[in-house]
Amino acid sequence: MFDWLRNDGAKFDKLKLRYYTEDYRGVHCSRDVQKGEIILYVPKKNLLTLDMAMESPIGSQMAARNFRQRLISPKHSFLATFLMEEKRKPDSYFMKFIDILPKGYTNFPIFYTKEEREGLTGSPFQHQITDKIKDIQADYSLICKEVPEYRQFPLKEYSEMRIMVASRIFGIQIEGHKTDAFVAYADMLNHRRPRQTSWTYDDGVGGFIIEALEDIKRGDQIFDSYGKKCNTRFLLNYGFINLNND
């Protein structure tokens, strides 16, 4: 993935990816960073956007049926569809990004086993998990009903991609147009509040940037903020809880 980004002009020489376990990683400073420095630049060419998803072969069929107004989670469904389409194209331009996405999703509650769900007995969070599963199944069923070729995508894979989208996309504005996008490398920063960095799409440089909001020492982990949320939302949509959630 890093070569793919570099070849298109991405800049991330101030960053270093570290693995803590096989499934847990974070982004660290490769040198001292000062407040106001740009620590990541990803060109527009490397972004997977909602607009691209709606123009894809199956996405365009969904758009023609006005699914953007009819689905429970329309943008998540379009982007999930685009990922599944691209995964099936050996020559996909975005394969290097797709290859580094998680292979397992057992930390997300909608994929908990029966025994794990029993550990939540008596908690209202059980209902939130059930509602999330039903919403995903409802959207999937509606798409399959009106776009028959959608059945090539199994419900389990669609559910995984829906979670992937919900936990990783960035809401941005490109040349005055609002959209959502996957941004390689930017989606690897872990969560912390208060904010340590800020991100945006910069029309002037033609790409997505992350800027440091404070001085960060070489070797320190660099964090993004996923927003001010309760732990039920963090667990349901991101697969973790914040032990010191304010």
Side-chain angles (χ1 to χ4, degrees), residues 23 37 39-40 50 52-54 100 102 120 123 133 140-141 145 158 176 179 187 210 213 223 229 240:
D23 301 318
E37 280 194 66
I39 60 174
L40 175 66
L50 177 59
M52 295 166 62
M54 294 181 66
I100 59 89
L120 294 167
S123 169
I133 293 171
Y140 177 78
S141 296
K145 180 180 179 181
Y158 171 77
T179 189
D187 61 358
I210 295 182
L213 296 179
F223 295 94
K229 300 177 175 69
F240 72 89

Side-chain angles (χ1 to χ4, degrees), residues 182-193:
F182 284 103
V183 186
Y185 214 149
D187 61 358
M188 294 184 182
L189 273 67
N190 291 319
H191 166 73
R192 193 201 79 176
R193 290 189 71 244

Side-chain angles (χ1 to χ4, degrees), residues 33-189:
V33 168
Q34 295 183 343
K35 178 180 178 180
E37 280 194 66
I38 303 299
I39 60 174
L40 175 66
Y41 164 70
V42 179
K44 180 181 177 181
K45 185 177 181 180
N46 298 102
L47 307 185
L48 289 76
T49 68
L50 177 59
D51 302 270
M52 295 166 62
M54 294 181 66
E55 294 170 0
S56 70
I58 296 180
S60 60
Q61 294 185 53
M62 293 166 59
R65 289 165 174 78
N66 200 29
F67 278 166
R68 197 164 187 184
Q69 279 70 48
R70 299 169 59 202
L71 295 173
I72 297 169
S73 296
K75 67 181 181 182
H76 293 170
S77 294
F78 276 101
L79 282 162
T81 299
F82 187 58
L83 278 180
M84 293 188 293
E85 286 182 289
E86 292 298 303
K87 282 173 62 179
R88 285 161 173 75
K89 294 162 52 178
D91 60 345
S92 169
Y93 179 73
F94 297 104
M95 190 57 71
K96 295 297 183 182
F97 168 73
I98 293 171
D99 282 345
I100 59 89
L101 294 175
K103 302 299 186 289
Y105 303 85
T106 55
N107 56 313
F108 290 93
I110 69 167
F111 301 113
Y112 281 179
T113 63
K114 180 180 178 181
E115 290 74 20
E116 288 170 331
R117 286 286 297 269
E118 287 176 352
L120 294 167
T121 299
S123 169
F125 187 55
Q126 282 272 30
H127 301 296
Q128 295 184 43
I129 299 173
T130 300
D131 288 343
K132 184 80 168 181
I133 293 171
K134 288 181 178 178
D135 287 350
I136 290 174
Q137 291 175 341
D139 279 350
Y140 177 78
S141 296
L142 177 58
I143 301 171
C144 287
K145 180 180 179 181
E146 299 191 23
V147 185
E149 64 184 280
Y150 207 84
R151 296 187 183 277
Q152 68 179 290
F153 306 131
L155 173 60
K156 183 176 184 294
E157 182 183 5
Y158 171 77
S159 301
E160 291 173 344
M161 293 303 99
R162 276 280 299 266
I163 284 293
M164 178 73 66
V165 173
S167 63
R168 287 177 176 266
I169 59 170
F170 295 83
I172 57 176
Q173 185 166 293
I174 301 176
E175 297 176 354
H177 174 68
K178 290 184 178 180
T179 189
D180 296 271
F182 284 103
V183 186
Y185 214 149
D187 61 358
M188 294 184 182
L189 273 67

